[in-house]
């Protein structure tokens, strides 16, 4: 049964195959063999519940093979590699500019054994980097070079940072698959349609718009639409705003006063009520004036995630 695991790219949690005669400590730095080569990782001791879940799962994460515990010399080598990654990143960036390629270099990763160097990049269209690759082979000799195209959501997922909520990026911490997201999700939740408020660092709609959407849809059942005529315990009125999660409806009455009622205390009527209502901004009907193309770009999930990290 699996006892150890490691955190890898995008904080993915992967099992670690360790020989039975070796005991590791939680948090210990080790070398593990991945599809890219030998890489430095930090050990996590897992409990029986997680181990049992992995044993019974048909979609068990890819397991890595333990190589050895990192020595002080290895740790110093790792520091040097991190510095080399930064230098290599800017060397590649210079070559990209030299060839005038329409690609944005995101990150450079060098395996611990220095057998493979990976450059992650985003691009709005297919890039012919054959000439770039020729130059890179002259700079990085005896190293396998991988130019890997990723989407803008992937780009954010491999970068550490915090969202507007103050928490680490969801895509970096736990999110593995990106579902399609559209403006309707924001509208149905009564959010102001402002690009700055509903988009993430990646320039696409916030992934968290999907988290509570089903709750809003369920809460909206039985709610009268904004602007509709209703009968309340205090007489006729028009709905001016709705609080979905509270299950309450704000109604402006014929006497000009606005009161809140439970959705169970109001009934829609066919009578036309001549009452002017002011619809608050948070009910999304008074969205900020934004460029339609800008909104479409927020929704554009084509190639925003390639799963190529």
């Amino acid at each position: 049964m699996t006892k150890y695991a490691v955190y890898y790219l995008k904080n993915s949690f992967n099992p670690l195959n360790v020989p039975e005669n070796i005991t590791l400590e939680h948090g210990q730095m080790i070398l593990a063999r991945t599809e890219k080569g030998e890489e430095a990782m930090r050990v996590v001791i897992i409990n029986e519940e997680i181990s049992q879940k992995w044993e019974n799962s048909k979609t068990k994460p890819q397991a890595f093979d333990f190589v050895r515990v990192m020595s002080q010399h290895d740790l110093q080598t790792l520091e040097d590699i991190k510095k080399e990654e930064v230098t290599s990143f800017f060397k590649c960036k210079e070559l990209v500019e030299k060839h005038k390629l329409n690609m944005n270099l995101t990150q450079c990763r060098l395996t611990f054994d220095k057998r493979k160097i990976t450059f992650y990049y985003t691009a709005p269209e297919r890039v012919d980097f054959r000439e770039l690759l020729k130059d890179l082979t002259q700079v990085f000799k005896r190293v396998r070079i991988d130019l890997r195209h990723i989407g803008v959501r992937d780009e954010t997922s491999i970068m550490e940072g915090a969202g507007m909520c103050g928490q680490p990026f969801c895509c970096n911490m736990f999110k593995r698959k990106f579902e399609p997201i559209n403006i309707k999700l924001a509208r149905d939740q009564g959010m102001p349609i402002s690009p700055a408020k509903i988009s993430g660092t990646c320039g696409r709609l916030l992934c968290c718009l999907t988290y509570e959407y089903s709750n809003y849809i369920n809460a909206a059942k039985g709610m009268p639409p904004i602007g509709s005529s209703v009968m309340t315990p205090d007489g006729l009125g028009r709905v001016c705003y709705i609080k979905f999660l509270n299950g309450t409806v704000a109604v402006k009455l014929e006497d000009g006063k606005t009161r809140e009622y439970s959705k169970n205390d109001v009934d829609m009527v066919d009578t036309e009520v001549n009452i002017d209502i002011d619809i608050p901004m948070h009910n999304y009907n008074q969205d900020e004036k934004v460029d339609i193309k800008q909104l479409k770009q927020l929704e554009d999930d084509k190639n925003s995630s390639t799963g190529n990290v």
Side-chain angles (χ1 to χ4, degrees):
M1 190 173 287
T2 306
K3 293 172 55 179
Y4 304 105
V6 288
Y7 282 109
Y8 192 46
L9 277 174
K10 296 172 59 174
N11 278 306
S12 61
F13 203 44
N14 296 70
L16 182 67
N17 295 328
V18 181
E20 292 185 2
N21 62 332
I22 294 178
T23 302
L24 301 177
E25 297 177 5
H26 185 82
Q28 198 168 20
M29 291 297 294
I30 58 98
L31 288 179
R33 187 171 291 107
T34 72
E35 60 182 10
K36 293 184 176 68
E38 292 183 3
E39 299 194 64
M41 300 182 189
R42 192 176 298 278
V43 172
V44 177
I45 297 178
I46 60 175
N47 57 37
E48 291 185 6
E49 186 178 349
I50 294 176
S51 182
Q52 193 64 48
K53 187 174 181 180
W54 274 346
E55 291 298 323
N56 299 330
S57 175
K58 294 181 180 179
T59 57
K60 181 179 178 180
Q62 178 188 2
F64 299 138
D65 292 328
F66 170 80
V67 177
R68 68 171 184 271
V69 174
M70 294 184 70
S71 63
Q72 281 300 122
H73 180 266
D74 288 333
L75 292 173
Q76 182 56 55
T77 300
L78 180 61
E79 287 296 314
D80 295 338
I81 286 174
K82 294 299 179 186
K83 295 175 182 177
E84 192 172 339
E85 285 176 339
V86 175
T87 304
S88 300
F89 176 89
F90 286 105
K91 284 181 180 177
C92 183
K93 193 175 180 67
E94 287 177 5
L95 292 174
V96 168
E97 293 172 355
K98 170 188 171 183
H99 291 285
K100 299 180 180 178
L101 296 175
N102 187 18
M103 56 189 286
N104 178 47
L105 207 59
T106 298
Q107 194 181 72
C108 168
R109 289 182 66 89
L110 182 64
T111 57
F112 188 83
D113 53 18
K114 295 187 178 182
R115 292 182 179 179
K116 184 176 182 179
I117 187 168
T118 304
F119 295 100
Y120 294 98
Y121 72 93
T122 60
E125 55 192 17
R126 188 178 179 85
V127 178
D128 183 355
F129 50 69
R130 286 175 293 184
E131 294 302 318
L132 170 64
L133 194 55
K134 288 179 183 178
D135 284 351
L136 288 173
T137 55
Q138 296 301 311
V139 176
F140 305 100
K141 297 180 180 179
R142 294 183 295 278
V143 179
R144 183 182 169 191
I145 300 168
D146 184 8
L147 285 165
R148 188 160 292 203
H149 177 233
I150 59 175
V152 290
R153 288 191 187 277
D154 298 317
E155 177 184 28
T156 304
S157 73
I158 63 175
M159 308 292 284
E160 294 184 2
M164 62 177 69
C165 59
Q167 298 298 314
F169 294 142
C170 296
C171 54
N172 179 259
M173 293 302 295
F174 63 86
K175 201 168 184 65
R176 299 292 169 255
K177 291 183 67 177
F178 297 99
E179 304 88 358
I181 306 174
N182 55 53
I183 295 291
K184 185 177 184 296
L185 295 178
R187 291 186 182 278
D188 289 348
Q189 293 176 69
M191 297 185 68
I193 309 305
S194 165
K197 296 176 182 177
I198 60 174
S199 63
T201 306
C202 59
R204 298 295 186 268
L205 291 170
L206 291 165
C207 290
C208 55
L209 288 174
T210 63
Y211 296 172
E212 298 178 355
Y213 184 66
S214 59
N215 293 337
Y216 277 88
I217 294 302
N218 291 330
K221 294 177 180 177
M223 289 281 200
I226 294 173
S228 60
S229 301
V230 294
M231 176 61 75
T232 74
D234 299 311
L236 287 170
R238 286 183 69 196
V239 178
C240 53
Y241 63 88
I242 297 171
K243 293 183 177 179
F244 292 107
L245 300 185
N246 288 342
T248 57
V249 180
V251 180
K252 188 173 183 180
L253 303 171
E254 292 178 302
D255 61 5
K257 295 181 179 179
T258 300
R259 294 181 182 147
E260 290 187 8
Y261 302 93
S262 168
K263 66 178 181 181
N264 299 321
D265 293 334
V266 298
D267 295 300
M268 291 183 62
V269 295
D270 293 331
T271 308
E272 188 67 35
V273 180
N274 188 23
I275 299 176
D276 292 330
I277 58 174
D278 295 321
I279 302 174
M281 282 291 290
H282 65 258
N283 273 289
Y284 68 73
N285 285 2
Q286 295 182 2
D287 298 337
E288 295 179 18
K289 291 184 178 180
V290 294
D291 190 336
I292 298 299
K293 290 183 179 180
Q294 192 176 12
L295 290 181
K296 286 295 183 183
Q297 185 177 5
L298 295 181
E299 288 186 309
D300 183 16
D301 269 335
K302 183 181 179 182
N303 294 327
S304 68
S305 174
T306 62
N308 202 25
V309 176

